[in-house]
Amino acid sequence: MSQRKVKAAVIGVGLIGEQHAEAYHEYPRSELVYVMDLDSKRAWAVGERFGCRYTTDIEEVAASEVDVVSVATPDFAHFQPTMRMIEAGKHVVVEKPLATSVREARQMAEAARRRGVKMTVNLGLRWSPGFLTVRDSIRSGEIGEPIMAHVRLADTIWVPRKMLSWAGKSGPQWFLFAHTMDLLRWFLGQEAQEVYAVGTKRVLAAEGINAYDAIQALVRFERTFVTFETAWILPEAWPDIVESEMTIYGSRGRLHFDAKRQGFELSSDEFGKHMFARPALWKRFKLPSTWWGALRSMVDCVLDGGEPAIPAEDGLAVTAMIEAVERSIQEDRPISPRSLIEGSASS
Ligand SMILES: NC(=O)c1ccc[n+]([C@@H]2O[C@H](COP(=O)([O-])OP(=O)(O)OC[C@H]3O[C@@H](n4cnc5c(N)ncnc54)[C@H](O)[C@@H]3O)[C@@H](O)[C@H]2O)c1
């Protein structure tokens, strides 16, 4: 095993990017050497916290000795920094969703392949012990053939209202379906064939935020059909920042996951051990170490060879599912994600 440490940088050190920086800083096989943010105060604050170089100029990162770069800019702003880093020969970890259009996601995946660099998407839920158990159960046949599933991941209205300054340029489909659609595709080992979705823009629009309040999407995979629900209008009184629930029906059994808890619990030195946090604590919330599996997998494969655990193509497939959701809502008809990927080749 290589004794060398991977040199890492993070572009976009907001709420999540700062935690990428911490993950590289803490992982024994990597060292954080650079952070970059358009906001000089953020770059300075995170650089000072970890004792690394900081800048507002992406060209400094491109020209540096850095091996791996995390891109944790807002959902709609992953494309340009990622393409610049690929061009500079860096391996890239992109926050979810890979991109907010199939055209961009496809260009990113192709550019990485052409340049011979590794690219992955940060989908930390794949390392969550609960979801790993669900996947193992399905893959080992404990519920037989998966027939039908229902998945809901929603946020309180605090997220679009106060947490994300860029909520109107994204939506619960990009922010939350990126997780659940990836999980189900991964659990089932099947591709989405067709997506039909409905959604509304009423509550958030009335507050000047151009994002969907709620969406329901019926996705037909090769042998299983799944209803995905998401919303950004849960009341702030909801005791957690998210609502997360999933039921999978198989030919010989049923699996159920429910993150709901009653009451308010706080049980950590650093607010980090508990996945149960109120909005007021979220800004200090530290995701559990399992969340950083995609980063660690990238560092490991740069040192040891091989490919990251989550290929860029998975990010492209999920982006296509979400773009199919948007198009289905707009056009009121089922859309094939595969046709979007194939169609993007000529656009
Ligand atoms: N993996 C997860 O579970 C998870 C959770 C929350 C957010 N996210 C994702 O992480 C990303 C960032 O979300 P956030 O909540 O940290 O947002 P944020 O607004 O807190 O941080 C974004 C940062 O990027 C900076 N920035 C914007 N454009 C930039 C550019 N072109 N170059 C450099 N810096 C730039 C901003 O100044 C800001 O500091 C989003 O894609 C979001 O969906 C992932």
Side-chain angles (χ1 to χ4, degrees):
M1 192 183 269
S2 170
Q3 297 304 308
R4 182 174 86 85
K5 284 192 177 198
V6 162
K7 292 183 189 302
V10 182
I11 294 180
V13 278
L15 183 65
I16 290 299
E18 181 167 0
Q19 296 195 44
H20 281 238
E22 187 170 13
Y24 289 122
H25 181 72
E26 286 182 348
Y27 190 44
R29 306 193 78 194
S30 58
E31 59 177 314
L32 178 72
V33 299
Y34 238 124
V35 293
M36 181 263 156
D37 199 295
L38 291 181
D39 178 344
S40 57
K41 287 203 190 102
R42 284 303 301 163
W44 171 81
V46 179
E48 286 290 306
R49 179 178 165 202
F50 296 109
C52 70
R53 282 175 276 164
Y54 54 90
T55 180
T56 55
D57 182 1
I58 194 169
E59 291 309 318
E60 285 186 27
V61 183
S64 74
E65 77 283 24
V66 159
D67 307 293
V68 169
V69 180
S70 272
V71 174
T73 49
D75 291 347
F76 62 90
H78 292 171
F79 181 71
Q80 278 171 347
T82 300
M83 292 299 275
R84 182 65 195 100
M85 289 302 111
I86 290 171
E87 195 188 346
K90 313 297 185 195
H91 305 292
V92 193
V93 178
V94 187
E95 253 308 333
K96 49 84 339 209
L98 180 58
T100 50
S101 76
V102 171
R103 190 181 44 78
E104 286 188 352
R106 184 175 176 140
Q107 279 184 41
M108 289 155 79
E110 285 178 355
R113 205 178 315 119
R114 265 200 314 275
R115 187 69 175 81
V117 296
K118 303 175 200 293
M119 185 162 89
T120 191
V121 192
N122 184 37
L123 290 156
L125 287 178
R126 286 207 195 179
W127 280 267
S128 145
F131 291 128
L132 275 168
T133 309
V134 172
R135 180 184 186 260
D136 288 348
S137 173
I138 293 172
R139 290 288 175 105
S140 67
E142 282 178 339
I143 61 164
E145 170 93 3
I147 305 286
M148 174 178 83
H150 170 255
V151 187
R152 181 187 305 134
L153 183 62
D155 279 337
T156 65
I157 198 165
W158 179 82
V159 169
R161 217 181 236 164
K162 300 189 192 122
M163 184 179 120
L164 299 175
S165 59
W166 40 270
K169 289 185 171 173
S170 181
Q173 71 278 26
W174 295 111
F175 203 67
L176 297 174
F177 277 166
H179 282 303
T180 51
M181 289 189 164
D182 174 71
L183 278 181
L184 263 290
R185 182 178 170 273
W186 180 61
F187 290 162
L188 299 172
Q190 299 174 33
E191 289 298 341
Q193 305 296 300
E194 203 170 62
V195 175
Y196 179 70
V198 287
T200 62
K201 287 188 179 182
R202 289 202 293 265
V203 180
L204 294 170
E207 298 190 16
I209 300 167
N210 179 26
Y212 284 105
D213 301 325
I215 300 174
Q216 201 166 46
L218 176 59
V219 178
R220 192 167 54 75
F221 286 84
E222 289 151 50
R223 296 179 306 281
T224 311
F225 48 92
V226 183
T227 314
F228 290 90
E229 290 179 352
T230 190
W232 256 2
I233 53 165
L234 265 177
E236 289 197 34
W238 184 255
D240 201 344
I241 197 167
V242 297
E243 181 190 14
S244 176
E245 202 179 317
M246 168 184 302
T247 312
I248 302 168
Y249 300 82
S251 56
R252 289 200 309 276
R254 173 187 183 273
L255 269 170
H256 184 66
F257 168 88
D258 186 349
K260 189 159 69 250
R261 294 233 196 10
Q262 297 298 313
F264 171 58
E265 297 175 50
L266 171 61
S267 59
S268 158
D269 298 339
E270 299 173 64
F271 306 104
K273 306 282 191 295
H274 223 89
M275 287 300 289
F276 189 60
R278 292 163 100 181
L281 290 178
W282 181 252
K283 289 217 180 279
R284 288 181 287 166
F285 188 74
K286 187 178 167 189
L287 288 157
S289 58
T290 50
W291 202 265
W292 308 111
L295 278 65
R296 292 176 178 198
S297 144
M298 175 63 95
V299 168
D300 291 348
C301 72
V302 168
L303 289 174
D304 306 334
E307 291 303 318
I310 303 180
E313 285 67 26
D314 285 18
L316 171 60
V318 172
T319 297
M321 290 172 72
I322 304 172
E323 190 173 315
V325 165
E326 291 193 331
R327 294 219 191 174
S328 177
I329 297 172
Q330 285 156 14
E331 299 172 21
D332 191 22
R333 66 181 179 96
I335 301 285
S336 145
R338 184 188 302 270
S339 73
L340 299 181
I341 295 176
E342 287 165 0
S344 73
S346 51
S347 64

